[in-house]
Short mmCIF file of all heavy atoms in Angstrom, two decimals:
data_model
loop_
_atom_site.label_atom_id
_atom_site.label_comp_id
_atom_site.label_asym_id
_atom_site.label_seq_id
_atom_site.Cartn_x
_atom_site.Cartn_y
_atom_site.Cartn_z
N ASN A 345 10.69 37.30 33.67
CA ASN A 345 11.75 37.89 32.86
C ASN A 345 13.00 37.01 32.85
O ASN A 345 14.07 37.48 32.51
CB ASN A 345 12.09 39.31 33.35
CG ASN A 345 12.71 39.31 34.73
OD1 ASN A 345 13.91 39.08 34.90
ND2 ASN A 345 11.90 39.60 35.75
N GLU A 346 12.84 35.74 33.19
CA GLU A 346 13.95 34.79 33.17
C GLU A 346 13.69 33.74 32.10
O GLU A 346 12.60 33.16 32.04
CB GLU A 346 14.12 34.12 34.53
CG GLU A 346 14.45 35.11 35.66
CD GLU A 346 14.74 34.40 36.97
OE1 GLU A 346 15.60 33.50 36.97
OE2 GLU A 346 14.10 34.75 37.98
N LEU A 347 14.68 33.51 31.26
CA LEU A 347 14.50 32.57 30.16
C LEU A 347 14.26 31.15 30.65
O LEU A 347 13.65 30.34 29.95
CB LEU A 347 15.72 32.61 29.24
CG LEU A 347 15.88 33.90 28.43
CD1 LEU A 347 17.16 33.87 27.61
CD2 LEU A 347 14.68 34.14 27.53
N SER A 348 14.73 30.83 31.85
CA SER A 348 14.50 29.49 32.39
C SER A 348 13.01 29.24 32.64
O SER A 348 12.57 28.09 32.71
CB SER A 348 15.27 29.30 33.70
OG SER A 348 14.83 30.21 34.68
N GLN A 349 12.23 30.31 32.79
CA GLN A 349 10.79 30.19 33.02
C GLN A 349 9.98 30.42 31.75
O GLN A 349 8.76 30.24 31.75
CB GLN A 349 10.36 31.19 34.09
CG GLN A 349 11.01 30.97 35.45
CD GLN A 349 10.63 32.03 36.46
OE1 GLN A 349 9.77 32.86 36.21
NE2 GLN A 349 11.28 32.00 37.62
N ALA A 350 10.66 30.83 30.68
CA ALA A 350 9.95 31.20 29.46
C ALA A 350 9.63 29.98 28.60
O ALA A 350 10.19 28.89 28.79
CB ALA A 350 10.79 32.20 28.66
N VAL A 351 8.74 30.17 27.64
CA VAL A 351 8.40 29.12 26.69
C VAL A 351 9.67 28.65 25.99
O VAL A 351 10.57 29.45 25.71
CB VAL A 351 7.36 29.64 25.67
CG1 VAL A 351 7.90 30.83 24.87
CG2 VAL A 351 6.89 28.54 24.74
N ALA A 352 9.76 27.35 25.73
CA ALA A 352 10.94 26.80 25.08
C ALA A 352 11.20 27.49 23.74
O ALA A 352 10.29 27.70 22.95
CB ALA A 352 10.75 25.30 24.86
N GLY A 353 12.46 27.85 23.52
CA GLY A 353 12.84 28.53 22.28
C GLY A 353 12.78 30.03 22.34
O GLY A 353 13.07 30.71 21.35
N ALA A 354 12.42 30.59 23.50
CA ALA A 354 12.31 32.05 23.62
C ALA A 354 13.63 32.75 23.34
O ALA A 354 13.67 33.89 22.86
CB ALA A 354 11.80 32.44 25.01
N ASP A 355 14.74 32.06 23.63
CA ASP A 355 16.06 32.65 23.40
C ASP A 355 16.45 32.66 21.93
O ASP A 355 17.47 33.26 21.57
CB ASP A 355 17.12 31.90 24.21
CG ASP A 355 17.17 30.42 23.87
OD1 ASP A 355 16.11 29.84 23.57
OD2 ASP A 355 18.27 29.84 23.90
N LYS A 356 15.64 32.02 21.07
CA LYS A 356 15.95 31.94 19.64
C LYS A 356 15.16 32.94 18.81
O LYS A 356 15.34 33.02 17.59
CB LYS A 356 15.67 30.53 19.12
CG LYS A 356 16.40 29.42 19.85
CD LYS A 356 17.89 29.50 19.66
CE LYS A 356 18.59 28.32 20.31
NZ LYS A 356 20.06 28.38 20.18
N VAL A 357 14.25 33.69 19.43
CA VAL A 357 13.43 34.66 18.70
C VAL A 357 13.58 36.03 19.34
O VAL A 357 14.15 36.17 20.42
CB VAL A 357 11.94 34.24 18.67
CG1 VAL A 357 11.77 32.89 17.99
CG2 VAL A 357 11.37 34.19 20.09
N GLU A 358 13.06 37.03 18.65
CA GLU A 358 13.17 38.40 19.16
C GLU A 358 12.13 38.65 20.25
O GLU A 358 10.94 38.41 20.06
CB GLU A 358 12.97 39.40 18.02
CG GLU A 358 13.14 40.84 18.46
CD GLU A 358 12.92 41.84 17.35
OE1 GLU A 358 12.72 41.41 16.19
OE2 GLU A 358 12.91 43.06 17.63
N ILE A 359 12.59 39.14 21.39
CA ILE A 359 11.71 39.55 22.48
C ILE A 359 11.64 41.07 22.44
O ILE A 359 12.65 41.76 22.56
CB ILE A 359 12.25 39.06 23.83
CG1 ILE A 359 12.26 37.52 23.85
CG2 ILE A 359 11.40 39.59 24.98
CD1 ILE A 359 12.95 36.92 25.06
N THR A 360 10.44 41.59 22.24
CA THR A 360 10.29 43.03 22.02
C THR A 360 9.91 43.80 23.28
O THR A 360 10.19 44.99 23.37
CB THR A 360 9.22 43.29 20.94
OG1 THR A 360 7.95 42.77 21.39
CG2 THR A 360 9.60 42.61 19.63
N GLU A 361 9.25 43.14 24.24
CA GLU A 361 8.82 43.81 25.46
C GLU A 361 8.81 42.83 26.62
O GLU A 361 8.68 41.62 26.42
CB GLU A 361 7.40 44.39 25.31
CG GLU A 361 7.23 45.43 24.22
CD GLU A 361 5.80 45.99 24.22
OE1 GLU A 361 5.32 46.39 25.30
OE2 GLU A 361 5.18 46.00 23.14
N VAL A 362 8.92 43.38 27.82
CA VAL A 362 8.73 42.61 29.05
C VAL A 362 7.87 43.44 29.99
O VAL A 362 8.14 44.63 30.19
CB VAL A 362 10.08 42.29 29.74
CG1 VAL A 362 9.84 41.59 31.08
CG2 VAL A 362 10.96 41.42 28.85
N VAL A 363 6.82 42.81 30.54
CA VAL A 363 5.97 43.46 31.54
C VAL A 363 5.91 42.50 32.72
O VAL A 363 5.40 41.38 32.60
CB VAL A 363 4.56 43.74 30.98
CG1 VAL A 363 3.71 44.44 32.04
CG2 VAL A 363 4.64 44.60 29.72
N ASP A 364 6.40 42.94 33.89
CA ASP A 364 6.58 41.99 34.98
C ASP A 364 6.52 42.69 36.33
O ASP A 364 6.48 43.93 36.42
CB ASP A 364 7.94 41.29 34.81
CG ASP A 364 8.08 40.05 35.68
OD1 ASP A 364 7.05 39.53 36.17
OD2 ASP A 364 9.22 39.62 35.87
N HIS A 365 6.52 41.87 37.40
CA HIS A 365 6.59 42.41 38.76
C HIS A 365 7.50 41.56 39.64
O HIS A 365 7.43 41.63 40.87
CB HIS A 365 5.16 42.50 39.37
CG HIS A 365 4.55 41.18 39.72
ND1 HIS A 365 3.96 40.92 40.94
CD2 HIS A 365 4.44 40.02 39.02
CE1 HIS A 365 3.49 39.68 40.96
NE2 HIS A 365 3.76 39.11 39.81
N HIS A 366 8.37 40.75 39.03
CA HIS A 366 9.28 39.89 39.77
C HIS A 366 10.69 40.47 39.80
O HIS A 366 10.99 41.46 39.12
CB HIS A 366 9.33 38.49 39.15
CG HIS A 366 8.05 37.73 39.27
ND1 HIS A 366 7.09 37.75 38.29
CD2 HIS A 366 7.57 36.94 40.26
CE1 HIS A 366 6.06 36.98 38.66
NE2 HIS A 366 6.33 36.49 39.86
N ARG A 367 11.57 39.80 40.52
CA ARG A 367 12.98 40.19 40.55
C ARG A 367 13.57 40.05 39.16
O ARG A 367 13.09 39.27 38.32
CB ARG A 367 13.75 39.29 41.52
CG ARG A 367 13.86 37.85 41.00
CD ARG A 367 14.84 37.01 41.77
NE ARG A 367 15.05 35.73 41.08
CZ ARG A 367 16.21 35.11 41.01
NH1 ARG A 367 17.27 35.62 41.59
NH2 ARG A 367 16.32 33.95 40.38
N LEU A 368 14.65 40.78 38.88
CA LEU A 368 15.31 40.69 37.59
C LEU A 368 16.20 39.45 37.57
O LEU A 368 16.96 39.19 38.51
CB LEU A 368 16.16 41.94 37.33
CG LEU A 368 15.40 43.26 37.27
CD1 LEU A 368 16.34 44.39 36.87
CD2 LEU A 368 14.23 43.19 36.29
N GLY A 369 16.10 38.69 36.49
CA GLY A 369 16.89 37.47 36.36
C GLY A 369 18.03 37.67 35.38
O GLY A 369 18.62 38.75 35.27
N ASN A 370 18.33 36.61 34.63
CA ASN A 370 19.49 36.62 33.73
C ASN A 370 19.10 37.00 32.31
O ASN A 370 19.61 36.46 31.34
CB ASN A 370 20.15 35.24 33.72
CG ASN A 370 19.17 34.15 33.28
OD1 ASN A 370 17.96 34.39 33.21
ND2 ASN A 370 19.68 32.98 32.97
N PHE A 371 18.23 37.94 32.18
CA PHE A 371 17.66 38.26 30.87
C PHE A 371 18.48 39.34 30.16
O PHE A 371 18.87 40.33 30.77
CB PHE A 371 16.22 38.73 31.07
CG PHE A 371 15.48 39.02 29.80
CD1 PHE A 371 15.07 37.98 28.99
CD2 PHE A 371 15.21 40.31 29.42
CE1 PHE A 371 14.38 38.25 27.81
CE2 PHE A 371 14.53 40.58 28.26
CZ PHE A 371 14.12 39.54 27.45
N HIS A 372 18.77 39.14 28.87
CA HIS A 372 19.44 40.18 28.09
C HIS A 372 18.95 40.09 26.64
O HIS A 372 18.46 39.04 26.20
CB HIS A 372 20.96 40.03 28.14
CG HIS A 372 21.46 38.80 27.45
ND1 HIS A 372 21.52 37.57 28.08
CD2 HIS A 372 21.92 38.60 26.18
CE1 HIS A 372 22.00 36.67 27.24
NE2 HIS A 372 22.23 37.26 26.08
N THR A 373 19.08 41.19 25.92
CA THR A 373 18.64 41.24 24.53
C THR A 373 19.72 41.89 23.67
O THR A 373 20.63 42.55 24.17
CB THR A 373 17.35 42.07 24.38
OG1 THR A 373 17.61 43.42 24.80
CG2 THR A 373 16.22 41.48 25.22
N ASP A 374 19.63 41.67 22.35
CA ASP A 374 20.59 42.27 21.43
C ASP A 374 20.26 43.73 21.15
O ASP A 374 21.15 44.50 20.76
CB ASP A 374 20.60 41.49 20.11
CG ASP A 374 21.13 40.07 20.28
OD1 ASP A 374 21.95 39.87 21.20
OD2 ASP A 374 20.71 39.19 19.51
N TYR A 375 19.00 44.11 21.32
CA TYR A 375 18.59 45.47 21.02
C TYR A 375 17.79 46.04 22.20
O TYR A 375 17.25 45.28 23.01
CB TYR A 375 17.70 45.50 19.76
CG TYR A 375 18.34 44.86 18.55
CD1 TYR A 375 18.01 43.55 18.17
CD2 TYR A 375 19.28 45.55 17.79
CE1 TYR A 375 18.60 42.96 17.07
CE2 TYR A 375 19.87 44.98 16.69
CZ TYR A 375 19.53 43.68 16.33
OH TYR A 375 20.12 43.09 15.24
N PRO A 376 17.72 47.37 22.31
CA PRO A 376 16.89 47.98 23.37
C PRO A 376 15.44 47.55 23.21
O PRO A 376 14.93 47.44 22.09
CB PRO A 376 17.06 49.48 23.13
CG PRO A 376 18.32 49.62 22.35
CD PRO A 376 18.41 48.40 21.49
N ILE A 377 14.78 47.28 24.32
CA ILE A 377 13.38 46.89 24.28
C ILE A 377 12.60 47.68 25.32
O ILE A 377 13.18 48.35 26.18
CB ILE A 377 13.19 45.38 24.54
CG1 ILE A 377 13.59 45.03 26.00
CG2 ILE A 377 13.99 44.54 23.56
CD1 ILE A 377 13.21 43.63 26.40
N ARG A 378 11.30 47.58 25.24
CA ARG A 378 10.44 48.17 26.27
C ARG A 378 10.39 47.21 27.45
O ARG A 378 9.92 46.08 27.32
CB ARG A 378 9.04 48.38 25.68
CG ARG A 378 8.12 49.19 26.58
CD ARG A 378 6.74 49.29 25.96
NE ARG A 378 5.94 50.36 26.56
CZ ARG A 378 4.63 50.35 26.61
NH1 ARG A 378 3.94 49.32 26.13
NH2 ARG A 378 3.96 51.37 27.12
N PHE A 379 10.88 47.66 28.59
CA PHE A 379 10.95 46.80 29.77
C PHE A 379 10.24 47.51 30.92
O PHE A 379 10.69 48.57 31.38
CB PHE A 379 12.41 46.54 30.14
CG PHE A 379 12.60 45.43 31.13
CD1 PHE A 379 13.02 44.17 30.74
CD2 PHE A 379 12.34 45.63 32.48
CE1 PHE A 379 13.19 43.14 31.65
CE2 PHE A 379 12.51 44.62 33.40
CZ PHE A 379 12.93 43.36 32.98
N ILE A 380 9.14 46.93 31.37
CA ILE A 380 8.34 47.53 32.45
C ILE A 380 8.31 46.54 33.60
O ILE A 380 7.81 45.42 33.47
CB ILE A 380 6.91 47.85 31.97
CG1 ILE A 380 6.96 48.82 30.78
CG2 ILE A 380 6.08 48.42 33.11
CD1 ILE A 380 5.63 49.00 30.09
N ASN A 381 8.85 46.95 34.73
CA ASN A 381 8.85 46.09 35.91
C ASN A 381 8.57 46.95 37.13
O ASN A 381 9.33 47.86 37.44
CB ASN A 381 10.22 45.40 36.05
CG ASN A 381 10.20 44.31 37.11
OD1 ASN A 381 10.05 44.59 38.28
ND2 ASN A 381 10.36 43.07 36.69
N GLN A 382 7.45 46.66 37.78
CA GLN A 382 7.06 47.45 38.95
C GLN A 382 6.84 46.54 40.15
O GLN A 382 6.33 45.43 40.01
CB GLN A 382 5.76 48.21 38.65
CG GLN A 382 5.89 49.24 37.53
CD GLN A 382 4.62 50.07 37.40
OE1 GLN A 382 4.10 50.58 38.39
NE2 GLN A 382 4.13 50.20 36.18
N PRO A 383 7.23 46.99 41.35
CA PRO A 383 7.06 46.16 42.56
C PRO A 383 5.63 46.18 43.08
O PRO A 383 5.32 46.71 44.15
CB PRO A 383 8.03 46.83 43.55
CG PRO A 383 8.04 48.27 43.14
CD PRO A 383 7.90 48.27 41.63
#
Side-chain angles (χ1 to χ4, degrees):
N345 67 81
E346 298 185 53
L347 291 177
S348 62
Q349 298 176 7
V351 61
D355 58 325
K356 304 294 185 182
V357 300
E358 183 181 355
I359 297 172
T360 61
E361 299 183 50
V362 175
V363 181
D364 194 17
H365 72 131
H366 293 93
R367 68 168 189 143
L368 299 185
N370 59 347
F371 183 73
H372 67 275
T373 62
D374 294 332
Y375 305 100
I377 67 170
R378 189 183 197 207
F379 193 103
I380 301 170
N381 190 293
Q382 296 187 48

